[in-house]
Amino acid sequence: MSVKPPREILENIYAFPPNRATLGGTAYFCINHDDAGEAANVLIDAPAQAPEVVAFLRDRGGVQYWVITHRGASGEAKALQADLSCPKVLVQEQEAYLLPDLPNLVTYRDRYPLPGGGEAFWTPGFSPGSACVYWPQQGGILFTGRHLLPDRDGQLQPLRFSKTFHWPRQLRQIKQLQERFTAENLAYACPAANTGFLRGQAIVKDAYSQLQALEPDQLLQAPALL
């Protein structure tokens, strides 16, 4: 079965089509170079494991950093890694056990720096090792994993599911994000699921204002979704 090509949603930022192997998750690819001009590309979560996907990534310099943002986002990681040979596959330490024997697995506790000033950082709640990725280019992009997702109105929200690991911790992380970011360093958000609710936009363009509009204390008693 052929796979649709990824879509360029911002300059050098690509979104892959939803992947059945990650329950409809959206993976992202950031083209980047280090200070020496060498490729330092970042893959966030797992696209479909398909020849077209591998060829697309290889044609753009390959993947030097692969960040898995939450349990369930790794998809067919072993098969994909066999094709990509990514030198660093990053996962928060509490979820490393889900990827036994995966080559080049690198764990971190709170945060892991990425070339270009970005970083992967721990945002527990949806799952024990849930994480987000911050990319400072183009006004600041927050790849939210499943920590923040569009609701049916296309608004960025923490969504409580029946399998959510720890809802109060997830809401505390929302407060930390609100304190961390400003209108000057956060322009966009790229969620790992529910992208269909963005109605073709493929990206949240007013991420800072949507983040600041959240009221974690009022969300504490929100019922779990199915």
Side-chain angles (χ1 to χ4, degrees), residues 84-107:
L84 296 176
S85 299
C86 176
K88 292 186 177 182
V89 183
L90 308 176
V91 63
Q92 204 279 335
E93 61 185 12
Q94 295 188 66
E95 298 189 0
Y97 75 96
L98 297 169
L99 298 169
D101 304 319
L102 186 69
N104 302 331
L105 190 68
V106 177
T107 64

Side-chain angles (χ1 to χ4, degrees), residues 58-175:
R58 286 178 175 170
D59 289 347
R60 287 154 182 81
V63 178
Q64 286 70 47
Y65 298 83
W66 181 8
V67 184
I68 306 299
T69 64
H70 60 282
R71 65 188 179 196
S74 55
E76 301 165 296
K78 287 187 177 180
L80 195 56
Q81 173 65 339
D83 289 329
L84 296 176
S85 299
C86 176
K88 292 186 177 182
V89 183
L90 308 176
V91 63
Q92 204 279 335
E93 61 185 12
Q94 295 188 66
E95 298 189 0
Y97 75 96
L98 297 169
L99 298 169
D101 304 319
L102 186 69
N104 302 331
L105 190 68
V106 177
T107 64
Y108 63 94
R109 179 177 179 178
D110 295 316
R111 57 193 68 247
Y112 193 96
L114 297 169
E119 67 174 8
F121 60 100
W122 185 34
T123 51
F126 171 78
S127 67
S130 177
C132 293
V133 177
Y134 178 66
W135 202 247
Q137 287 79 3
Q138 304 182 64
I141 308 166
L142 183 64
F143 297 89
T144 63
R146 290 186 185 252
H147 181 55
L148 290 170
L149 296 174
D151 63 12
R152 293 185 178 276
D153 296 321
Q155 298 298 301
L156 209 58
Q157 296 281 343
L159 298 180
R160 186 180 189 181
F161 299 97
S162 59
K163 295 184 178 180
T164 294
F165 165 66
H166 200 296
W167 184 235
R169 290 187 75 181
Q170 185 169 350
L171 295 178
R172 287 198 293 271
Q173 292 298 318
I174 301 300
K175 292 182 179 180

Side-chain angles (χ1 to χ4, degrees), residues 206-225:
D206 53 348
Y208 175 74
S209 61
Q210 289 200 30
L211 176 63
Q212 294 301 322
L214 298 175
E215 298 182 357
D217 292 339
Q218 293 188 15
L219 292 168
L220 188 61
Q221 303 303 320
L225 304 173

Side-chain angles (χ1 to χ4, degrees), residues 4-8 14-17 52-53 56:
K4 292 182 179 179
R7 174 182 176 185
E8 189 173 26
Y14 292 83
F16 287 90
E52 301 96 322
V53 169
F56 173 88

